[in-house]
Amino acid sequence: MKSPKTPTETHATTSGYRVRTQLIHGKSKTPKWDYSHHVIPPITSSATFRLSSSQRGAKGFFEFACDTMDTKRHVPIYIYDRLDEPTRGMLEENLALAEEGEMAVCFATGMAAITAAICVLVRQGDEVLAHDTLYGCTYSFLTNWLPRQGVRTQFVNLRETDKIAGAITERTRVLYLESPVNPNLELIDMAAVRVEVDRANRGRRPEERVRVVVDNTFATPYCQRPLHLGADVVVHSLTKGIGGFGTDMGGVVIGPRELHNVLMLYRKDLGGVLSPKAAWNVLVYGLPSLAARMANMQRTALHVAEFLAHHPKVARVSYPGLASFPQRALAEKQMVDYRGKFAPGSMIYFTLKDKSGHNRAAERFIDFVADKAYCITLAVSLGQIKTLIENPYSMTHSAYQAAAGGKAPGHKNRARGIEPGGVRLSIGLEDRHDIIADLERALSVA
Ligand SMILES: *Cc1c(COP(=O)(O)O)cnc(C)c1O
């Protein structure tokens, strides 16, 4: 840790400052825009850009997503919002910084980012190897849409790292996972996955290598940086913890510089670009407050998880911060904040005891919350300053059920750890006593 520089030097450099501070100030100098006279970066929001000459237009098109361009130093020639524009560009610089990655490309939603990350890495005939429990729409994409492009997905339990070597085939190009897993908060050992993937990649040409893609939405970069743990590419739903306030949707792919241009080209042609108005909210409100929000929310999450763990009507609580969390050692290794402190996040998953065996207790509990609770809201999404509750089995992860009820044999087993009576809780910034009081009242009727 270097000591802070003198004021004149600080204007030009962010080095020596902690990430938490950098997330608030961003880059004081960026080729995207000179905002050295702004306290808040500008929202420019222009669908098209004035070109001073046809040569400038031609140069702009030539330089867009040009592999030889130094995108870090180069001042882009802006042409049209769907190609590139400054407000989103500034957010991308800061998101790369937050994940400590080389570059970031933003998309309209988390799903647009996830599908882009996978699609730029696979061709017809290739395969994806994915953990068997995933966010419902990701699972639906891999099973309903990717096969139409001739790309097959094999689902395995990536917690069993000894199975990975046998599951990787000659055609595998992407190994895809979430950790913590949505919704049950299982963890995948990313360093162990990396070892297996490195072994499989030995002797492969660069374009044939397996890339590890990690959805870091649950943890946020404040609690975990997968690029340091073995991931090649990180994806996020900006709609969740990074956006933080529930006002906008967005997604991002963060990874090595070599993927920047192909992602920009993909985004240009598929069109799922993040709007500058949404980007500005994440740039000005979401990212700068990420550390403060997460630090507070995870402190509350531990209190709530402990309350639940001791409640007689609760069968099982999954929260990486609990001493009883089965993968506690792995949690401490993987989930750390920018200062290296244990950062188990703000998400809790739990199940209720239910003698009926028909999931009635969870239903009564959630309906009571929806009707009577003041500071807990029945809603999907997560990572907001408001505490949200939902039933993944029937809501966010219903794609698994649809598959199990349908024709595809074997799908049922893939929904491991998404019990009908499971409850997902996303802790917000309310006073923890109020959250616990609302839960206590609802549990009394469960
Ligand atoms: C919500 C979510 C997504 C999808 O993000 P959208 O912004 O809703 O498209 C992907 N992965 C995880 C883990 C999520 O929670």
Side-chain angles (χ1 to χ4, degrees):
M1 188 68 216
K2 281 180 273 173
S3 63
K5 310 268 170 23
T6 62
T8 40
E9 283 177 293
T10 59
H11 196 72
T13 176
T14 53
S15 69
Y17 288 89
R18 292 170 170 83
V19 177
R20 180 170 180 156
T21 302
Q22 292 190 45
L23 291 181
I24 292 168
H25 291 277
K27 304 219 169 170
S28 52
K29 275 213 156 63
T30 165
K32 311 289 177 190
W33 189 273
D34 173 9
Y35 67 88
S36 53
H37 301 290
H38 293 68
V39 174
I40 301 297
I43 175 165
T44 66
S45 201
S46 180
T48 191
F49 291 80
R50 192 175 69 84
L51 296 162
S52 48
S53 67
S54 50
Q55 281 101 314
R56 183 177 163 86
K59 189 162 183 271
F61 274 107
F62 174 76
E63 287 180 359
F64 175 75
C66 179
D67 259 332
T68 53
M69 205 57 62
D70 181 353
T71 44
K72 224 172 169 165
R73 292 232 174 77
H74 178 71
V75 181
I77 295 175
Y78 295 116
I79 298 170
Y80 190 58
D81 182 343
R82 181 157 41 72
L83 277 62
D84 197 6
E85 77 79 51
T87 303
R88 186 173 58 237
M90 287 186 282
L91 173 64
E92 285 165 346
E93 288 181 338
N94 289 358
L95 284 167
L97 188 157
E99 273 292 354
E100 299 172 332
E102 287 177 7
M103 65 85 207
V105 178
C106 285
F107 291 84
T109 64
M111 284 318 300
I114 289 166
T115 53
I118 294 171
C119 285
V120 300
L121 294 173
V122 295
R123 288 164 200 277
Q124 183 178 18
D126 288 346
E127 289 174 17
V128 174
L129 181 63
H131 184 57
D132 56 8
T133 309
L134 296 171
Y135 177 64
C137 300
T138 306
Y139 175 77
S140 176
F141 170 70
L142 293 172
T143 52
N144 289 320
W145 304 107
L146 211 48
R148 294 195 187 191
Q149 313 303 321
V151 177
R152 201 176 75 89
T153 297
Q154 196 190 153
F155 293 93
V156 293
N157 180 357
L158 291 178
R159 284 181 61 180
E160 297 167 4
T161 29
D162 55 324
K163 300 256 172 73
I164 297 175
I168 293 176
T169 74
E170 253 176 51
R171 307 297 323 194
T172 309
R173 296 290 178 271
V174 169
L175 189 148
Y176 189 92
L177 63 101
E178 298 162 6
S179 183
V181 173
N182 182 357
N184 59 24
L185 290 136
E186 287 181 340
L187 305 184
I188 313 285
D189 185 338
M190 288 180 254
V193 166
R194 185 76 244 169
V195 169
E196 295 303 326
V197 167
D198 280 343
R199 192 173 297 145
N201 280 345
R202 223 172 279 154
R204 289 197 188 201
R205 292 200 304 259
E207 67 275 17
E208 294 172 343
R209 285 187 194 137
V210 183
R211 315 275 195 126
V212 179
V213 180
V214 174
D215 182 339
N216 197 29
T217 300
F218 252 43
T220 81
Y222 177 76
C223 298
Q224 175 174 272
R225 269 85 51 220
L227 295 175
H228 292 319
L229 296 165
D232 294 294
V233 175
V234 166
V235 291
H236 277 284
S237 166
L238 299 176
T239 319
K240 315 292 173 57
I242 294 179
F245 295 90
T247 57
D248 295 274
M249 301 206 74
V252 65
V253 181
I254 302 162
R257 183 150 299 281
E258 53 164 319
L259 290 178
H260 181 255
N261 293 320
V262 68
L263 284 164
M264 292 293 272
L265 286 171
Y266 179 95
R267 187 178 74 180
K268 166 178 85 69
D269 296 340
L270 278 280
V273 71
L274 181 69
S275 108
K277 295 184 184 81
W280 189 81
N281 285 335
V282 181
L283 176 67
V284 172
Y285 302 115
L287 260 191
S289 63
L290 174 69
R293 283 184 288 111
M294 288 309 298
N296 274 281
M297 286 170 8
Q298 77 182 4
R299 208 175 305 135
T300 301
L302 181 59
H303 285 287
V304 173
E306 278 169 350
F307 160 78
L308 289 169
H310 290 113
H311 198 283
K313 291 196 176 169
V314 173
R316 190 170 61 81
V317 183
S318 187
Y319 177 64
L322 282 177
S324 62
F325 185 67
Q327 296 173 288
R328 171 71 189 217
L330 181 60
E332 285 180 20
K333 192 174 97 179
Q334 295 194 152
M335 303 189 75
V336 291
D337 66 19
Y338 291 118
R339 298 158 74 188
K341 285 195 179 153
F342 184 38
S346 60
M347 299 299 300
I348 300 171
Y349 181 78
F350 64 99
T351 50
L352 297 180
K353 289 180 187 157
D354 192 350
K355 287 196 207 79
S356 75
H358 294 101
N359 173 30
R360 292 277 184 274
E363 204 178 302
R364 274 198 307 273
F365 168 75
I366 287 186
D367 284 345
F368 186 90
V369 168
D371 193 33
K372 298 277 192 318
Y374 171 70
C375 70
I376 305 177
T377 308
L378 171 60
V380 299
S381 200
L382 57 105
Q384 300 187 8
I385 61 168
K386 295 186 177 186
T387 295
L388 304 178
I389 200 165
E390 69 125 359
N391 173 225
Y393 183 84
S394 66
M395 296 168 72
T396 46
H397 291 68
S398 52
Y400 278 93
Q401 265 195 84
K407 334 95 238 167
H411 280 53
K412 203 166 193 163
N413 303 334
R414 292 182 196 156
R416 212 173 31 74
I418 309 176
E419 299 97 338
V423 179
R424 191 183 79 181
L425 192 57
S426 167
I427 297 298
L429 280 181
E430 300 91 344
D431 187 301
R432 67 178 154 89
H433 300 94
D434 291 329
I435 297 171
I436 290 173
D438 270 351
L439 288 171
E440 192 148 37
R441 271 191 293 274
L443 282 167
S444 69
V445 305

